[in-house]
mmCIF file with all atom_site columns, all heavy atoms in Angstrom:
data_model
loop_
_atom_site.group_PDB
_atom_site.id
_atom_site.type_symbol
_atom_site.label_atom_id
_atom_site.label_alt_id
_atom_site.label_comp_id
_atom_site.label_asym_id
_atom_site.label_entity_id
_atom_site.label_seq_id
_atom_site.pdbx_PDB_ins_code
_atom_site.Cartn_x
_atom_site.Cartn_y
_atom_site.Cartn_z
_atom_site.occupancy
_atom_site.B_iso_or_equiv
_atom_site.pdbx_formal_charge
_atom_site.auth_seq_id
_atom_site.auth_comp_id
_atom_site.auth_asym_id
_atom_site.auth_atom_id
_atom_site.pdbx_PDB_model_num
ATOM 1   N N   . ASP A 1 1  ? 0.860  -1.166 -0.005  1.00 0.00 ? 49 ASP A N   1
ATOM 2   C CA  . ASP A 1 1  ? 0.028  -0.023 -0.019  1.00 0.00 ? 49 ASP A CA  1
ATOM 3   C C   . ASP A 1 1  ? 0.911  1.210  -0.006  1.00 0.00 ? 49 ASP A C   1
ATOM 4   O O   . ASP A 1 1  ? 0.687  2.240  -0.758  1.00 0.00 ? 49 ASP A O   1
ATOM 5   C CB  . ASP A 1 1  ? -1.022 0.017  1.207   1.00 0.00 ? 49 ASP A CB  1
ATOM 6   C CG  . ASP A 1 1  ? -2.168 -0.809 1.087   1.00 0.00 ? 49 ASP A CG  1
ATOM 7   O OD1 . ASP A 1 1  ? -2.633 -1.037 -0.099  1.00 0.00 ? 49 ASP A OD1 1
ATOM 8   O OD2 . ASP A 1 1  ? -2.727 -1.349 2.138   1.00 0.00 ? 49 ASP A OD2 1
ATOM 9   N N   . LEU A 1 2  ? 1.945  1.201  0.808   1.00 0.00 ? 50 LEU A N   1
ATOM 10  C CA  . LEU A 1 2  ? 2.823  2.355  0.900   1.00 0.00 ? 50 LEU A CA  1
ATOM 11  C C   . LEU A 1 2  ? 3.516  2.624  -0.475  1.00 0.00 ? 50 LEU A C   1
ATOM 12  O O   . LEU A 1 2  ? 3.570  3.718  -0.917  1.00 0.00 ? 50 LEU A O   1
ATOM 13  C CB  . LEU A 1 2  ? 3.871  2.073  2.008   1.00 0.00 ? 50 LEU A CB  1
ATOM 14  C CG  . LEU A 1 2  ? 4.840  3.250  2.401   1.00 0.00 ? 50 LEU A CG  1
ATOM 15  C CD1 . LEU A 1 2  ? 3.935  4.273  3.114   1.00 0.00 ? 50 LEU A CD1 1
ATOM 16  C CD2 . LEU A 1 2  ? 5.825  2.706  3.352   1.00 0.00 ? 50 LEU A CD2 1
ATOM 17  N N   . ALA A 1 3  ? 3.853  1.669  -0.989  1.00 0.00 ? 51 ALA A N   1
ATOM 18  C CA  . ALA A 1 3  ? 4.486  1.785  -2.426  1.00 0.00 ? 51 ALA A CA  1
ATOM 19  C C   . ALA A 1 3  ? 3.533  2.412  -3.412  1.00 0.00 ? 51 ALA A C   1
ATOM 20  O O   . ALA A 1 3  ? 3.852  3.251  -4.235  1.00 0.00 ? 51 ALA A O   1
ATOM 21  C CB  . ALA A 1 3  ? 4.975  0.333  -2.974  1.00 0.00 ? 51 ALA A CB  1
ATOM 22  N N   . ASP A 1 4  ? 2.202  1.913  -3.336  1.00 0.00 ? 52 ASP A N   1
ATOM 23  C CA  . ASP A 1 4  ? 1.237  2.595  -4.209  1.00 0.00 ? 52 ASP A CA  1
ATOM 24  C C   . ASP A 1 4  ? 1.004  4.064  -3.887  1.00 0.00 ? 52 ASP A C   1
ATOM 25  O O   . ASP A 1 4  ? 0.872  4.791  -4.764  1.00 0.00 ? 52 ASP A O   1
ATOM 26  C CB  . ASP A 1 4  ? -0.094 1.830  -3.919  1.00 0.00 ? 52 ASP A CB  1
ATOM 27  C CG  . ASP A 1 4  ? -0.142 0.417  -4.536  1.00 0.00 ? 52 ASP A CG  1
ATOM 28  O OD1 . ASP A 1 4  ? 0.720  0.177  -5.414  1.00 0.00 ? 52 ASP A OD1 1
ATOM 29  O OD2 . ASP A 1 4  ? -1.018 -0.341 -4.124  1.00 0.00 ? 52 ASP A OD2 1
ATOM 30  N N   . GLY A 1 5  ? 1.275  4.444  -2.619  1.00 0.00 ? 53 GLY A N   1
ATOM 31  C CA  . GLY A 1 5  ? 1.199  5.851  -2.295  1.00 0.00 ? 53 GLY A CA  1
ATOM 32  C C   . GLY A 1 5  ? 2.245  6.613  -3.016  1.00 0.00 ? 53 GLY A C   1
ATOM 33  O O   . GLY A 1 5  ? 2.041  7.836  -3.347  1.00 0.00 ? 53 GLY A O   1
ATOM 34  N N   . HIS A 1 6  ? 3.436  6.094  -3.223  1.00 0.00 ? 54 HIS A N   1
ATOM 35  C CA  . HIS A 1 6  ? 4.549  6.821  -3.810  1.00 0.00 ? 54 HIS A CA  1
ATOM 36  C C   . HIS A 1 6  ? 4.181  7.055  -5.304  1.00 0.00 ? 54 HIS A C   1
ATOM 37  O O   . HIS A 1 6  ? 4.444  8.063  -5.900  1.00 0.00 ? 54 HIS A O   1
ATOM 38  C CB  . HIS A 1 6  ? 5.873  6.016  -3.726  1.00 0.00 ? 54 HIS A CB  1
ATOM 39  C CG  . HIS A 1 6  ? 6.388  6.100  -2.314  1.00 0.00 ? 54 HIS A CG  1
ATOM 40  N ND1 . HIS A 1 6  ? 5.869  5.270  -1.338  1.00 0.00 ? 54 HIS A ND1 1
ATOM 41  C CD2 . HIS A 1 6  ? 7.364  6.856  -1.733  1.00 0.00 ? 54 HIS A CD2 1
ATOM 42  C CE1 . HIS A 1 6  ? 6.517  5.563  -0.199  1.00 0.00 ? 54 HIS A CE1 1
ATOM 43  N NE2 . HIS A 1 6  ? 7.507  6.499  -0.430  1.00 0.00 ? 54 HIS A NE2 1
ATOM 44  N N   . VAL A 1 7  ? 3.641  6.082  -5.972  1.00 0.00 ? 55 VAL A N   1
ATOM 45  C CA  . VAL A 1 7  ? 3.166  6.111  -7.321  1.00 0.00 ? 55 VAL A CA  1
ATOM 46  C C   . VAL A 1 7  ? 2.167  7.247  -7.522  1.00 0.00 ? 55 VAL A C   1
ATOM 47  O O   . VAL A 1 7  ? 2.189  8.111  -8.382  1.00 0.00 ? 55 VAL A O   1
ATOM 48  C CB  . VAL A 1 7  ? 2.655  4.828  -7.875  1.00 0.00 ? 55 VAL A CB  1
ATOM 49  C CG1 . VAL A 1 7  ? 2.145  4.979  -9.275  1.00 0.00 ? 55 VAL A CG1 1
ATOM 50  C CG2 . VAL A 1 7  ? 3.667  3.737  -7.827  1.00 0.00 ? 55 VAL A CG2 1
ATOM 51  N N   . LYS A 1 8  ? 1.203  7.315  -6.501  1.00 0.00 ? 56 LYS A N   1
ATOM 52  C CA  . LYS A 1 8  ? 0.172  8.343  -6.566  1.00 0.00 ? 56 LYS A CA  1
ATOM 53  C C   . LYS A 1 8  ? 0.789  9.651  -6.337  1.00 0.00 ? 56 LYS A C   1
ATOM 54  O O   . LYS A 1 8  ? 0.329  10.661 -6.864  1.00 0.00 ? 56 LYS A O   1
ATOM 55  C CB  . LYS A 1 8  ? -0.945 8.047  -5.555  1.00 0.00 ? 56 LYS A CB  1
ATOM 56  C CG  . LYS A 1 8  ? -1.807 6.964  -6.042  1.00 0.00 ? 56 LYS A CG  1
ATOM 57  C CD  . LYS A 1 8  ? -2.899 6.589  -5.109  1.00 0.00 ? 56 LYS A CD  1
ATOM 58  C CE  . LYS A 1 8  ? -4.120 5.810  -5.658  1.00 0.00 ? 56 LYS A CE  1
ATOM 59  N NZ  . LYS A 1 8  ? -3.635 4.591  -6.452  1.00 0.00 ? 56 LYS A NZ  1
ATOM 60  N N   . ALA A 1 9  ? 1.885  9.788  -5.587  1.00 0.00 ? 57 ALA A N   1
ATOM 61  C CA  . ALA A 1 9  ? 2.434  11.039 -5.298  1.00 0.00 ? 57 ALA A CA  1
ATOM 62  C C   . ALA A 1 9  ? 3.201  11.491 -6.531  1.00 0.00 ? 57 ALA A C   1
ATOM 63  O O   . ALA A 1 9  ? 3.139  12.756 -6.896  1.00 0.00 ? 57 ALA A O   1
ATOM 64  C CB  . ALA A 1 9  ? 3.594  10.921 -4.167  1.00 0.00 ? 57 ALA A CB  1
ATOM 65  N N   . ILE A 1 10 ? 3.863  10.692 -7.342  1.00 0.00 ? 58 ILE A N   1
ATOM 66  C CA  . ILE A 1 10 ? 4.452  10.928 -8.591  1.00 0.00 ? 58 ILE A CA  1
ATOM 67  C C   . ILE A 1 10 ? 3.374  11.460 -9.627  1.00 0.00 ? 58 ILE A C   1
ATOM 68  O O   . ILE A 1 10 ? 3.607  12.442 -10.210 1.00 0.00 ? 58 ILE A O   1
ATOM 69  C CB  . ILE A 1 10 ? 5.350  9.831  -9.162  1.00 0.00 ? 58 ILE A CB  1
ATOM 70  C CG1 . ILE A 1 10 ? 6.513  9.463  -8.305  1.00 0.00 ? 58 ILE A CG1 1
ATOM 71  C CG2 . ILE A 1 10 ? 5.721  10.121 -10.504 1.00 0.00 ? 58 ILE A CG2 1
ATOM 72  C CD1 . ILE A 1 10 ? 7.644  10.414 -8.365  1.00 0.00 ? 58 ILE A CD1 1
ATOM 73  N N   . ASN A 1 11 ? 2.405  10.740 -9.631  1.00 0.00 ? 59 ASN A N   1
ATOM 74  C CA  . ASN A 1 11 ? 1.209  11.079 -10.544 1.00 0.00 ? 59 ASN A CA  1
ATOM 75  C C   . ASN A 1 11 ? 0.640  12.560 -10.151 1.00 0.00 ? 59 ASN A C   1
ATOM 76  O O   . ASN A 1 11 ? 0.467  13.347 -11.071 1.00 0.00 ? 59 ASN A O   1
ATOM 77  C CB  . ASN A 1 11 ? 0.042  10.146 -10.364 1.00 0.00 ? 59 ASN A CB  1
ATOM 78  C CG  . ASN A 1 11 ? 0.446  8.783  -10.900 1.00 0.00 ? 59 ASN A CG  1
ATOM 79  O OD1 . ASN A 1 11 ? 1.332  8.566  -11.643 1.00 0.00 ? 59 ASN A OD1 1
ATOM 80  N ND2 . ASN A 1 11 ? -0.497 7.783  -10.574 1.00 0.00 ? 59 ASN A ND2 1
ATOM 81  N N   . TYR A 1 12 ? 0.577  12.722 -8.816  1.00 0.00 ? 60 TYR A N   1
ATOM 82  C CA  . TYR A 1 12 ? 0.017  13.967 -8.426  1.00 0.00 ? 60 TYR A CA  1
ATOM 83  C C   . TYR A 1 12 ? 0.930  15.154 -8.679  1.00 0.00 ? 60 TYR A C   1
ATOM 84  O O   . TYR A 1 12 ? 0.482  16.389 -8.958  1.00 0.00 ? 60 TYR A O   1
ATOM 85  C CB  . TYR A 1 12 ? -0.315 13.927 -6.784  1.00 0.00 ? 60 TYR A CB  1
ATOM 86  C CG  . TYR A 1 12 ? -0.740 15.249 -6.214  1.00 0.00 ? 60 TYR A CG  1
ATOM 87  C CD1 . TYR A 1 12 ? -2.024 15.623 -6.385  1.00 0.00 ? 60 TYR A CD1 1
ATOM 88  C CD2 . TYR A 1 12 ? 0.047  15.867 -5.329  1.00 0.00 ? 60 TYR A CD2 1
ATOM 89  C CE1 . TYR A 1 12 ? -2.550 16.834 -5.728  1.00 0.00 ? 60 TYR A CE1 1
ATOM 90  C CE2 . TYR A 1 12 ? -0.380 17.100 -4.791  1.00 0.00 ? 60 TYR A CE2 1
ATOM 91  C CZ  . TYR A 1 12 ? -1.688 17.463 -4.871  1.00 0.00 ? 60 TYR A CZ  1
ATOM 92  O OH  . TYR A 1 12 ? -2.156 18.559 -4.243  1.00 0.00 ? 60 TYR A OH  1
ATOM 93  N N   . MET A 1 13 ? 2.174  14.949 -8.601  1.00 0.00 ? 61 MET A N   1
ATOM 94  C CA  . MET A 1 13 ? 3.263  16.055 -8.850  1.00 0.00 ? 61 MET A CA  1
ATOM 95  C C   . MET A 1 13 ? 3.016  16.668 -10.186 1.00 0.00 ? 61 MET A C   1
ATOM 96  O O   . MET A 1 13 ? 3.477  17.825 -10.398 1.00 0.00 ? 61 MET A O   1
ATOM 97  C CB  . MET A 1 13 ? 4.566  15.460 -8.658  1.00 0.00 ? 61 MET A CB  1
ATOM 98  C CG  . MET A 1 13 ? 5.649  16.503 -8.320  1.00 0.00 ? 61 MET A CG  1
ATOM 99  S SD  . MET A 1 13 ? 6.777  16.018 -7.128  1.00 0.00 ? 61 MET A SD  1
ATOM 100 C CE  . MET A 1 13 ? 7.268  14.358 -7.697  1.00 0.00 ? 61 MET A CE  1
ATOM 101 N N   . ALA A 1 14 ? 2.520  15.961 -11.166 1.00 0.00 ? 62 ALA A N   1
ATOM 102 C CA  . ALA A 1 14 ? 2.354  16.409 -12.514 1.00 0.00 ? 62 ALA A CA  1
ATOM 103 C C   . ALA A 1 14 ? 1.357  17.569 -12.510 1.00 0.00 ? 62 ALA A C   1
ATOM 104 O O   . ALA A 1 14 ? 1.391  18.532 -13.363 1.00 0.00 ? 62 ALA A O   1
ATOM 105 C CB  . ALA A 1 14 ? 1.877  15.395 -13.469 1.00 0.00 ? 62 ALA A CB  1
ATOM 106 N N   . LYS A 1 15 ? 0.443  17.695 -11.430 1.00 0.00 ? 63 LYS A N   1
ATOM 107 C CA  . LYS A 1 15 ? -0.584 18.760 -11.417 1.00 0.00 ? 63 LYS A CA  1
ATOM 108 C C   . LYS A 1 15 ? -0.068 19.894 -10.599 1.00 0.00 ? 63 LYS A C   1
ATOM 109 O O   . LYS A 1 15 ? -0.718 21.006 -10.627 1.00 0.00 ? 63 LYS A O   1
ATOM 110 C CB  . LYS A 1 15 ? -1.775 18.161 -10.636 1.00 0.00 ? 63 LYS A CB  1
ATOM 111 C CG  . LYS A 1 15 ? -2.438 16.914 -11.244 1.00 0.00 ? 63 LYS A CG  1
ATOM 112 C CD  . LYS A 1 15 ? -3.428 16.419 -10.346 1.00 0.00 ? 63 LYS A CD  1
ATOM 113 C CE  . LYS A 1 15 ? -3.990 15.029 -10.724 1.00 0.00 ? 63 LYS A CE  1
ATOM 114 N NZ  . LYS A 1 15 ? -4.946 14.487 -9.719  1.00 0.00 ? 63 LYS A NZ  1
ATOM 115 N N   . LEU A 1 16 ? 1.091  19.742 -9.955  1.00 0.00 ? 64 LEU A N   1
ATOM 116 C CA  . LEU A 1 16 ? 1.573  20.912 -9.240  1.00 0.00 ? 64 LEU A CA  1
ATOM 117 C C   . LEU A 1 16 ? 2.434  21.971 -10.081 1.00 0.00 ? 64 LEU A C   1
ATOM 118 O O   . LEU A 1 16 ? 3.075  21.525 -10.895 1.00 0.00 ? 64 LEU A O   1
ATOM 119 C CB  . LEU A 1 16 ? 2.498  20.492 -7.945  1.00 0.00 ? 64 LEU A CB  1
ATOM 120 C CG  . LEU A 1 16 ? 1.932  19.475 -6.908  1.00 0.00 ? 64 LEU A CG  1
ATOM 121 C CD1 . LEU A 1 16 ? 2.930  19.050 -5.990  1.00 0.00 ? 64 LEU A CD1 1
ATOM 122 C CD2 . LEU A 1 16 ? 0.705  20.279 -6.223  1.00 0.00 ? 64 LEU A CD2 1
ATOM 123 N N   . GLU A 1 17 ? 2.377  23.110 -9.668  1.00 0.00 ? 65 GLU A N   1
ATOM 124 C CA  . GLU A 1 17 ? 3.173  24.164 -10.372 1.00 0.00 ? 65 GLU A CA  1
ATOM 125 C C   . GLU A 1 17 ? 4.557  24.101 -9.709  1.00 0.00 ? 65 GLU A C   1
ATOM 126 O O   . GLU A 1 17 ? 5.538  24.113 -10.465 1.00 0.00 ? 65 GLU A O   1
ATOM 127 C CB  . GLU A 1 17 ? 2.537  25.556 -10.186 1.00 0.00 ? 65 GLU A CB  1
ATOM 128 C CG  . GLU A 1 17 ? 1.205  25.747 -11.020 1.00 0.00 ? 65 GLU A CG  1
ATOM 129 C CD  . GLU A 1 17 ? 1.471  25.621 -12.458 1.00 0.00 ? 65 GLU A CD  1
ATOM 130 O OE1 . GLU A 1 17 ? 2.426  26.162 -12.977 1.00 0.00 ? 65 GLU A OE1 1
ATOM 131 O OE2 . GLU A 1 17 ? 0.631  24.953 -13.109 1.00 0.00 ? 65 GLU A OE2 1
ATOM 132 N N   . SER A 1 18 ? 4.536  24.233 -8.421  1.00 0.00 ? 66 SER A N   1
ATOM 133 C CA  . SER A 1 18 ? 5.772  24.343 -7.592  1.00 0.00 ? 66 SER A CA  1
ATOM 134 C C   . SER A 1 18 ? 5.476  24.193 -6.141  1.00 0.00 ? 66 SER A C   1
ATOM 135 O O   . SER A 1 18 ? 4.318  24.159 -5.769  1.00 0.00 ? 66 SER A O   1
ATOM 136 C CB  . SER A 1 18 ? 6.761  25.588 -7.910  1.00 0.00 ? 66 SER A CB  1
ATOM 137 O OG  . SER A 1 18 ? 5.842  26.719 -7.435  1.00 0.00 ? 66 SER A OG  1
ATOM 138 N N   . GLY A 1 19 ? 6.455  24.228 -5.241  1.00 0.00 ? 67 GLY A N   1
ATOM 139 C CA  . GLY A 1 19 ? 6.262  24.245 -3.876  1.00 0.00 ? 67 GLY A CA  1
ATOM 140 C C   . GLY A 1 19 ? 6.216  22.891 -3.227  1.00 0.00 ? 67 GLY A C   1
ATOM 141 O O   . GLY A 1 19 ? 6.591  21.845 -3.877  1.00 0.00 ? 67 GLY A O   1
ATOM 142 N N   . VAL A 1 20 ? 5.930  22.819 -1.926  1.00 0.00 ? 68 VAL A N   1
ATOM 143 C CA  . VAL A 1 20 ? 5.990  21.648 -1.071  1.00 0.00 ? 68 VAL A CA  1
ATOM 144 C C   . VAL A 1 20 ? 4.613  21.248 -0.696  1.00 0.00 ? 68 VAL A C   1
ATOM 145 O O   . VAL A 1 20 ? 3.800  22.099 -0.385  1.00 0.00 ? 68 VAL A O   1
ATOM 146 C CB  . VAL A 1 20 ? 6.861  21.895 0.171   1.00 0.00 ? 68 VAL A CB  1
ATOM 147 C CG1 . VAL A 1 20 ? 6.743  20.675 1.152   1.00 0.00 ? 68 VAL A CG1 1
ATOM 148 C CG2 . VAL A 1 20 ? 8.259  22.215 -0.233  1.00 0.00 ? 68 VAL A CG2 1
ATOM 149 N N   . ASP A 1 21 ? 4.339  19.929 -0.845  1.00 0.00 ? 69 ASP A N   1
ATOM 150 C CA  . ASP A 1 21 ? 3.074  19.356 -0.196  1.00 0.00 ? 69 ASP A CA  1
ATOM 151 C C   . ASP A 1 21 ? 3.465  18.265 0.631   1.00 0.00 ? 69 ASP A C   1
ATOM 152 O O   . ASP A 1 21 ? 4.434  17.683 0.482   1.00 0.00 ? 69 ASP A O   1
ATOM 153 C CB  . ASP A 1 21 ? 2.008  18.998 -1.268  1.00 0.00 ? 69 ASP A CB  1
ATOM 154 C CG  . ASP A 1 21 ? 0.587  19.277 -0.752  1.00 0.00 ? 69 ASP A CG  1
ATOM 155 O OD1 . ASP A 1 21 ? 0.440  19.371 0.343   1.00 0.00 ? 69 ASP A OD1 1
ATOM 156 O OD2 . ASP A 1 21 ? -0.291 19.322 -1.734  1.00 0.00 ? 69 ASP A OD2 1
ATOM 157 N N   . VAL A 1 22 ? 2.674  17.963 1.625   1.00 0.00 ? 70 VAL A N   1
ATOM 158 C CA  . VAL A 1 22 ? 2.921  16.918 2.588   1.00 0.00 ? 70 VAL A CA  1
ATOM 159 C C   . VAL A 1 22 ? 1.672  15.954 2.790   1.00 0.00 ? 70 VAL A C   1
ATOM 160 O O   . VAL A 1 22 ? 0.539  16.424 2.786   1.00 0.00 ? 70 VAL A O   1
ATOM 161 C CB  . VAL A 1 22 ? 3.365  17.464 3.932   1.00 0.00 ? 70 VAL A CB  1
ATOM 162 C CG1 . VAL A 1 22 ? 2.420  18.430 4.516   1.00 0.00 ? 70 VAL A CG1 1
ATOM 163 C CG2 . VAL A 1 22 ? 3.756  16.297 4.927   1.00 0.00 ? 70 VAL A CG2 1
ATOM 164 N N   . PHE A 1 23 ? 1.983  14.620 2.892   1.00 0.00 ? 71 PHE A N   1
ATOM 165 C CA  . PHE A 1 23 ? 0.901  13.701 3.079   1.00 0.00 ? 71 PHE A CA  1
ATOM 166 C C   . PHE A 1 23 ? 1.343  12.634 4.129   1.00 0.00 ? 71 PHE A C   1
ATOM 167 O O   . PHE A 1 23 ? 2.475  12.078 4.086   1.00 0.00 ? 71 PHE A O   1
ATOM 168 C CB  . PHE A 1 23 ? 0.574  12.950 1.746   1.00 0.00 ? 71 PHE A CB  1
ATOM 169 C CG  . PHE A 1 23 ? 0.091  13.854 0.792   1.00 0.00 ? 71 PHE A CG  1
ATOM 170 C CD1 . PHE A 1 23 ? 0.943  14.519 -0.282  1.00 0.00 ? 71 PHE A CD1 1
ATOM 171 C CD2 . PHE A 1 23 ? -1.345 14.213 0.728   1.00 0.00 ? 71 PHE A CD2 1
ATOM 172 C CE1 . PHE A 1 23 ? 0.438  15.271 -1.159  1.00 0.00 ? 71 PHE A CE1 1
ATOM 173 C CE2 . PHE A 1 23 ? -1.837 15.095 -0.310  1.00 0.00 ? 71 PHE A CE2 1
ATOM 174 C CZ  . PHE A 1 23 ? -0.909 15.661 -1.286  1.00 0.00 ? 71 PHE A CZ  1
ATOM 175 N N   . ASN A 1 24 ? 0.336  12.268 5.006   1.00 0.00 ? 72 ASN A N   1
ATOM 176 C CA  . ASN A 1 24 ? 0.548  11.174 5.919   1.00 0.00 ? 72 ASN A CA  1
ATOM 177 C C   . ASN A 1 24 ? 0.153  9.909  4.995   1.00 0.00 ? 72 ASN A C   1
ATOM 178 O O   . ASN A 1 24 ? -0.744 9.883  4.305   1.00 0.00 ? 72 ASN A O   1
ATOM 179 C CB  . ASN A 1 24 ? -0.474 11.211 6.958   1.00 0.00 ? 72 ASN A CB  1
ATOM 180 C CG  . ASN A 1 24 ? -0.051 12.243 8.101   1.00 0.00 ? 72 ASN A CG  1
ATOM 181 O OD1 . ASN A 1 24 ? 1.076  12.577 8.211   1.00 0.00 ? 72 ASN A OD1 1
ATOM 182 N ND2 . ASN A 1 24 ? -1.028 12.708 8.838   1.00 0.00 ? 72 ASN A ND2 1
ATOM 183 N N   . LEU A 1 25 ? 0.965  8.802  5.171   1.00 0.00 ? 73 LEU A N   1
ATOM 184 C CA  . LEU A 1 25 ? 0.574  7.533  4.616   1.00 0.00 ? 73 LEU A CA  1
ATOM 185 C C   . LEU A 1 25 ? 0.507  6.456  5.783   1.00 0.00 ? 73 LEU A C   1
ATOM 186 O O   . LEU A 1 25 ? 1.453  6.176  6.361   1.00 0.00 ? 73 LEU A O   1
ATOM 187 C CB  . LEU A 1 25 ? 1.681  7.047  3.522   1.00 0.00 ? 73 LEU A CB  1
ATOM 188 C CG  . LEU A 1 25 ? 1.839  7.943  2.382   1.00 0.00 ? 73 LEU A CG  1
ATOM 189 C CD1 . LEU A 1 25 ? 2.751  7.249  1.384   1.00 0.00 ? 73 LEU A CD1 1
ATOM 190 C CD2 . LEU A 1 25 ? 0.422  8.026  1.614   1.00 0.00 ? 73 LEU A CD2 1
ATOM 191 N N   . GLY A 1 26 ? -0.752 6.121  5.966   1.00 0.00 ? 74 GLY A N   1
ATOM 192 C CA  . GLY A 1 26 ? -1.127 5.195  7.052   1.00 0.00 ? 74 GLY A CA  1
ATOM 193 C C   . GLY A 1 26 ? -2.516 4.617  6.655   1.00 0.00 ? 74 GLY A C   1
ATOM 194 O O   . GLY A 1 26 ? -2.989 4.926  5.668   1.00 0.00 ? 74 GLY A O   1
#
């Protein structure tokens, strides 16, 4: 599940302009 969270983070990054975002994975 945690590994899937990293893939989703890479996918999500394509939508970001710049800056930092933070997510709990649990």
Side-chain angles (χ1 to χ4, degrees):
D49 279 334
L50 192 62
D52 292 339
H54 289 77
V55 175
K56 286 183 161 51
I58 293 283
N59 294 343
Y60 177 73
M61 199 140 48
K63 304 173 189 174
L64 294 179
E65 291 297 320
S66 62
V68 175
D69 213 340
V70 56
F71 297 94
N72 288 334
L73 293 184

